[in-house]
Amino acid sequence: MGSVKSSLEEALTLCKSSFLAAAGFSMVINFLMLVPVIYMLQLYDRVVPTGNESTLIMLTLIMLALFITLGFLEWVRSQILVRVSTRLETLLNTRLFNVAYKQSLYSGGQNLSSQPLDDLTALRQFMTGNGLFAFFDAPWLPFYIAVMFLFHPWYGWTAVFAAIVLLILAVINEKLTSKPLKQANSLSVAGRSIVNKSLRNAEVIESMGMLNAIRQRWIRGSYDILDLQASASSKAGLLSSLSKVIRMSSQSLILGIGAYLTIQQELTAGLMIAGSVLLGRALAPIDLLIGTWKGFVAARSQYTRLNEMLKKIPEDKDRMALPAPEGKLQVENAVIYPPGAKTPAIKGVNFHIDKGESLAVIGPSGAGKSTLARGILGIWPAANGKIRLDSADVFTWDREALGPYIGYLPQDIELFEGSISENIARFSEVDSEKVVAAAKMADVHELILRLPEGYDTIIGPAGGTLSGGQRQRIGLARALYGKPALVVLDEPNSNLDDQGELALANALKRLKEQGTTVVIITHRQNILAVVDKMLVLNEGALATFGDRNDVLGQFKKAAQAQQPVKTVAPQTVTI
């Protein structure tokens, strides 16, 4: 059985008929390229010797009509390739957006890049350039050589020799430039990643005077890219110049051969000139291929990257719709590895909470609390064990179907460019009643009303002029939008003042009243008063789990006895 096709290969297969049409137009175009040669032959061999003006006029009109046809066909061919490139974009842009999104998701936000979309754009631009036209025209070289053999065997063998030399140069060009250009493209991708990360962390770089060090790191990479590109371009430029010299020399040489054969009365004057013109046309695509090889190498790298990426990250399969979740959460001996990690951050954790219960997850830094939250949400899959929501593996849920029933407030609050109401409504259709209800539950309604445009206030990607606490409370309202069945809050009070702490506590009480299951990760003690159960993590393992009062009682007894609780390290007592 053959390997499964990637989405890119499937899209190109769908465009196969268009490529065949372009090839068909190329066939006619290359036939019409003989028009100037035939016209020249008729002028030299019929019009000039006879002085027949009517023949001249008729031949000229036919020639002009064929040239107009040639121009029209070339325009049609270019439009076919433009439409093919546009179709590829429409077939793949959604898929590649999802790929870029999943790369970021599965890398824990470390691989933030629009490279797949950039590669698709560059590949589409290559398809509408002269380089691809050369690939359509190059296969017609044997046709032109055959015509030259009809003129005279010496013409044919001269064309064969020149074509072989140029093809050898094309192969040498591939060997000398392909590897350095591929390395330069890879370094360029890495360099753009450094720039993107630097721009996202501009405040940190500026505040701690890191700009020069970061810039120098980027410049070193840029110099490596320039060295590779300069080396490849220098070699390609030399070979391109050499190919042009060979092509022009061959045209002049064949003109000299034609003159000799004319003297020997083996050719007419018209054939002497026509041979030179025809050879130039025959060798032009090879010459163009050598000149545009850099673009071809880049396009090939882009195609390879896209193909490998699309095969590595398969398209999501349609999943059967499940009933709306109620909020029962079961974690069964879950083992979770963060993206790229060789050791698990969660090691065999096992617990369950019922619908409407609230759980506080505590532990020292690096204990795996945020990793557990991502596992509960189905962001990072469990390598072993299962995490179930209403008995279904949370990682197998259709995310679009499950999303409205999930609320999530991460440590780093990201509000997207748009209005506050759009952010709270998760950029779905804004239901004003639900938006206001979520804002009131998060106790941020009055704060929003005091803003210049209220709920229509436009904020930027980082929250605009909103403070960290305000962003966090609007993020909480977004998590509570639509009465979700499960809400996961990761350090929800890290940026809150006393008023915000009180609003959070009130929100948790309201969630309990409406039967929402809540998992809250926190280091602060005051929020523990409103939770039902507590879970203590230590180095990724479950140290203690149970009712809040029982766990707090264990801490109290341990503090009195100055002994750690079971397997919990002493620092875990500080929450």
Side-chain angles (χ1 to χ4, degrees), residues 141-157:
L141 174 62
F143 168 72
Y144 290 112
I145 292 178
V147 173
M148 295 194 72
F149 268 107
L150 292 177
F151 287 177
H152 196 280
W154 286 17
Y155 270 17
W157 289 118

Side-chain angles (χ1 to χ4, degrees), residues 166 169 238-248 286-288 290-291:
L166 287 181
L169 287 179
L238 176 61
L239 291 171
S240 180
S241 299
L242 187 57
S243 70
K244 188 173 292 185
V245 168
I246 290 172
R247 180 169 62 85
M248 295 176 67
I286 302 177
D287 195 27
L288 182 59
I290 295 173

Side-chain angles (χ1 to χ4, degrees), residues 333-543:
N333 298 315
V335 176
I336 304 174
Y337 288 81
K342 296 183 178 179
T343 56
I346 294 297
K347 307 168 184 176
V349 171
N350 189 36
F351 69 92
H352 77 275
I353 53 176
D354 291 324
K355 174 184 180 299
E357 289 188 322
S358 54
L359 170 70
V361 181
I362 63 174
S365 297
K369 302 185 297 296
S370 294
T371 298
L372 179 61
R374 292 183 174 98
I376 290 172
L377 293 165
I379 298 173
W380 293 351
N384 290 299
K386 294 292 182 183
I387 299 176
R388 301 184 183 277
L389 182 61
D390 288 7
S391 300
D393 186 346
V394 69
F395 194 72
T396 63
W397 278 77
D398 184 324
R399 304 312 302 181
E400 294 294 327
L402 180 62
Y405 301 100
I406 298 292
Y408 178 43
L409 182 66
Q411 285 189 43
D412 300 321
I413 304 298
E414 289 287 351
L415 297 179
F416 303 99
E417 190 169 357
S419 67
I420 288 179
S421 61
E422 288 174 323
N423 271 274
I424 294 177
R426 308 180 183 186
F427 286 87
S428 60
E429 185 176 350
V430 176
D431 185 322
S432 57
E433 292 184 2
K434 290 183 179 180
V435 169
V436 172
K440 286 183 175 179
M441 181 171 283
D443 204 8
V444 74
H445 175 66
E446 297 295 333
L447 183 151
I448 294 174
L449 292 180
R450 289 195 294 270
L451 293 174
E453 301 294 331
Y455 282 92
D456 295 320
T457 300
I458 301 298
I459 55 180
T465 58
L466 298 176
S467 67
Q470 290 172 328
R471 292 200 305 272
Q472 199 154 30
R473 291 171 69 181
I474 291 173
L476 177 60
R478 180 179 63 190
L480 305 182
Y481 178 78
K483 295 184 179 180
L486 172 65
V487 173
V488 178
L489 308 175
D490 193 352
E491 301 290 355
N493 48 1
S494 59
N495 293 313
L496 299 181
D497 54 17
D498 291 341
Q499 183 181 358
E501 289 267 7
L502 180 61
L504 175 62
N506 291 334
L508 293 175
K509 290 177 182 177
R510 296 186 189 109
L511 287 171
K512 186 171 184 62
E513 291 171 359
Q514 70 182 30
T516 300
T517 304
V518 179
V519 176
I520 180 170
I521 296 169
T522 182
H523 282 91
R524 297 190 182 182
Q525 292 186 7
N526 50 0
I527 205 68
L528 300 179
V530 296
V531 301
D532 301 313
K533 294 183 177 180
M534 288 179 59
L535 183 149
V536 181
L537 284 176
N538 187 38
E539 296 182 355
L542 190 151

Side-chain angles (χ1 to χ4, degrees), residues 58 95 126 165 170 187 219 310 349 387 479 519 533-534:
M58 184 57 65
R95 175 85 169 88
F126 172 77
V165 172
L187 289 175
I219 287 176
L310 289 168
V349 171
I387 299 176
V519 176
K533 294 183 177 180
M534 288 179 59

Side-chain angles (χ1 to χ4, degrees), residues 36-183:
V37 175
I38 296 172
Y39 180 69
M40 184 184 302
L41 285 173
Q42 297 302 314
L43 292 184
Y44 272 95
D45 296 342
R46 293 191 179 187
V47 175
V48 173
T50 62
N52 192 327
E53 294 182 0
S54 60
T55 302
L56 173 61
I57 293 172
M58 184 57 65
L59 287 173
T60 302
L61 290 175
I62 294 173
M63 178 269 297
L64 291 175
L66 291 175
F67 273 155
I68 292 172
T69 304
L70 173 64
F72 174 74
L73 292 178
E74 286 192 326
W75 176 79
V76 171
R77 181 177 66 170
S78 68
Q79 291 305 300
I80 289 174
L81 294 178
V82 167
R83 281 165 173 73
V84 168
S85 67
T86 302
R87 189 180 184 193
L88 280 179
E89 179 85 23
T90 56
L91 287 172
L92 293 173
N93 55 9
T94 300
R95 175 85 169 88
L96 289 174
F97 182 92
N98 292 339
V99 166
Y101 163 77
K102 286 187 177 182
Q103 276 189 318
S104 174
L105 180 67
Y106 296 151
S107 67
Q110 298 303 308
N111 189 3
L112 302 177
S113 174
S114 61
Q115 186 63 41
L117 295 170
D118 294 340
D119 281 343
L120 178 61
T121 299
L123 191 60
R124 179 171 57 81
Q125 291 172 344
F126 172 77
M127 291 180 63
T128 57
N130 290 330
L132 191 61
F133 292 148
F135 279 91
F136 278 109
D137 291 336
W140 291 96
L141 174 62
F143 168 72
Y144 290 112
I145 292 178
V147 173
M148 295 194 72
F149 268 107
L150 292 177
F151 287 177
H152 196 280
W154 286 17
Y155 270 17
W157 289 118
T158 303
V160 169
F161 175 77
I164 290 174
V165 172
L166 287 181
L167 287 172
I168 290 173
L169 287 179
V171 173
I172 294 173
N173 189 43
E174 154 73 9
K175 298 296 183 183
L176 293 179
T177 63
S178 180
K179 186 175 180 180
L181 285 176
K182 187 176 180 180
Q183 291 176 340

